[in-house]
Amino acid sequence: MSEFFGFGEYERPAEGYLSWQHLLFVSILMVIMISAAILSSFWAKKKEEERKNFPMIITAIAIDSLELFKIILLCFRSQDPLNWLMDLPLFLCSIQLITIPVASFSKGRVREITRDFVFLFGLLGAVLGTYFAGNNYGTYPVLSFDNVISGITHCLSGYASLYFILAGLVTLKWKNMPFTMVIMTLFCGLAYIADITIPYNYMFLMRGDGTPYDILYSLVNGNQVIYPLLVIILFFVYIAVFYLVYHLIVNAIEKRKKA
């Protein structure tokens, strides 16, 4: 158990990023995530609106409880009471620690907007935080606390994203898109301030750290003004393209039904 939780550093070497152990482990998590989303969406089909929200309440409690447990354990492990500064919810994936609970417990327009945000970034975060997490799987053994807890929380975000769309709880109304961008801008601004003051690398605004952002970082030779701006612009482009593709698909389905 001491070895699993990483007390006294991991004695086992990391199997490596994109090793068969890494790919097998995250693929198992993905199968569980997708299966759970499909099964719970079938359960939700005949339920009223508020009952449909029940799986998300469980997800919100689970993801925040696991993250809190991780922060406490890492503070003990590092013997640094300020270690929590490295675990603020300011990564793209960890924004869901806030948006999933808000989407689960809020009402009206706020619920609509945060559900859209979770749908937009939940599944993306699940894929990036598992298959493309070179920063984690290149550093720690696959079956270690750091990677297991990260894999579970990322897949909980992916589950929320899939459940919302499969259960018919997503609207992606055009009028809500600016608010989605405002949420992203707010978190990017807070992340950038934290990156400069701590310093750290929240939202990967300072460097790629073994993720696909390394490609962008290399293209601009690590320029500390252009690189973070391009990362933020890519978020906006992703949001706009996602909305566009979603509505193109919905419109095509509606036309086919009418035909």
Side-chain angles (χ1 to χ4, degrees):
M1 292 300 290
S2 177
E3 171 64 13
F4 173 79
F5 286 107
F7 287 100
E9 303 296 331
Y10 292 110
E11 295 182 5
R12 294 168 294 149
E15 292 86 350
Y17 175 51
L18 296 182
S19 63
W20 70 264
Q21 293 95 331
H22 166 209
L23 295 176
L24 176 63
F25 174 65
V26 298
S27 294
I28 291 171
L29 289 179
M30 282 288 171
V31 169
I32 295 172
M33 176 192 82
I34 294 169
S35 300
I38 292 172
L39 290 173
S40 54
S41 67
F42 278 135
W43 169 86
K45 287 296 182 182
K46 297 180 180 180
K47 301 293 187 295
E48 66 266 13
E49 175 68 16
E50 289 308 311
R51 287 284 289 164
K52 288 181 179 180
N53 204 44
F54 179 72
M56 293 317 306
I57 292 175
I58 300 300
T59 304
I61 294 171
I63 195 170
D64 279 9
S65 298
L66 286 170
E67 189 68 15
L68 180 61
F69 174 65
K70 182 190 82 172
I71 292 170
I72 293 172
L73 186 136
L74 292 183
C75 285
F76 276 109
R77 196 173 75 180
S78 65
Q79 298 182 340
D80 180 4
L82 295 179
N83 192 76
W84 60 271
L85 290 172
M86 309 301 176
D87 290 292
L88 297 172
L90 294 174
F91 282 114
L92 177 62
C93 306
S94 54
I95 296 175
Q96 308 293 359
L97 298 169
I98 298 171
T99 52
I100 290 177
V102 173
S104 302
F105 294 102
S106 62
K107 302 283 185 181
R109 188 81 179 276
V110 174
R111 175 181 281 186
E112 273 188 9
I113 293 168
T114 48
R115 279 179 174 179
D116 287 356
F117 191 93
V118 172
F119 174 52
L120 279 163
F121 290 101
L123 190 57
L124 175 68
V127 174
L128 292 178
T130 53
Y131 286 105
F132 295 99
N135 52 326
N136 274 0
Y137 290 94
T139 305
Y140 310 114
V142 170
L143 293 181
S144 63
F145 176 78
D146 294 79
N147 283 332
V148 170
I149 202 78
S150 175
I152 293 173
T153 52
H154 279 90
C155 284
L156 282 171
S157 296
Y159 163 79
S161 178
L162 285 174
Y163 176 73
F164 278 150
I165 188 63
L166 293 175
L169 300 176
V170 170
T171 60
L172 281 191
K173 296 175 182 176
W174 285 111
K175 66 179 182 179
N176 289 337
M177 187 174 73
F179 293 98
T180 304
M181 291 185 171
V182 167
I183 294 173
M184 181 54 68
T185 303
L186 174 63
F187 276 98
C188 284
L190 292 173
Y192 190 73
I193 292 170
D195 288 339
I196 294 172
T197 55
I198 293 176
Y200 201 49
N201 189 30
Y202 285 116
M203 297 290 281
F204 299 103
L205 293 176
M206 299 291 105
R207 57 193 178 276
D209 275 356
T211 67
Y213 292 112
D214 275 333
I215 299 171
L216 189 61
Y217 188 82
S218 298
L219 286 175
V220 298
N221 295 317
N223 187 291
Q224 289 300 294
V225 175
I226 298 175
Y227 170 71
L229 283 175
L230 287 178
V231 171
I232 295 170
I233 290 171
L234 279 178
F235 288 142
F236 292 158
V237 170
Y238 171 79
I239 291 170
V241 171
F242 201 107
Y243 268 81
L244 178 61
V245 171
Y246 175 83
H247 283 283
L248 287 173
I249 293 172
V250 170
N251 290 337
I253 293 173
E254 288 179 353
K255 286 181 180 178
R256 176 165 290 187
K257 286 181 179 178
K258 290 178 181 178

